[in-house]
Amino acid sequence: MAEQHGQEEDLVDIWRSLAEVEVRSGACAKALAWAGKALDASVAAGLSLGPACYTAALAQSTGGSFAAALRYAAYGERAGREEGDVLHRNRNLWMAGAVRLHTGDINGAVTAFALLDRT
């Protein structure tokens, strides 16, 4: 129903939320699918990529690949910076730092965390 009548931005928010719930419940394949749907719709509708890239990075870090998670986090950080979206810039930086910690790149993690806006 929502897919037939919803605005793209609302649908993206729903799909992102579903992906985050699936991540937390351990349903990684479902999380990846929802995150992919949110990202594809964001691109197609010309929406900000910061939020969808954060969700894609989160889903990839739990059920995909750390390399893909880092790519999405980098895209999302750049989008947030260019659009003045501090919240999603910080979320994507945090994801980059967390993934770097998981992969043993302590210096990379420190660099990412140091860039977090503390305001």
Side-chain angles (χ1 to χ4, degrees), residues 27-106:
C28 298
K30 288 181 181 179
L32 288 166
W34 289 122
K37 202 166 183 167
L39 189 58
D40 290 345
S42 294
V43 171
L47 300 174
S48 171
L49 294 181
C53 283
Y54 163 74
T55 303
L58 177 66
Q60 285 290 333
S61 73
T62 59
S65 78
F66 287 135
L70 286 173
R71 280 193 306 274
Y72 286 124
Y75 297 149
E77 186 278 330
R78 185 174 335 122
R81 184 171 17 93
E82 290 172 357
E83 297 165 4
D85 182 351
V86 175
L87 174 67
H88 288 99
R89 177 182 177 267
N90 282 344
R91 285 183 176 177
N92 281 289
L93 282 169
W94 183 89
M95 278 306 307
V99 169
R100 291 188 186 286
L101 277 178
H102 284 295
T103 59
D105 179 6
I106 305 304

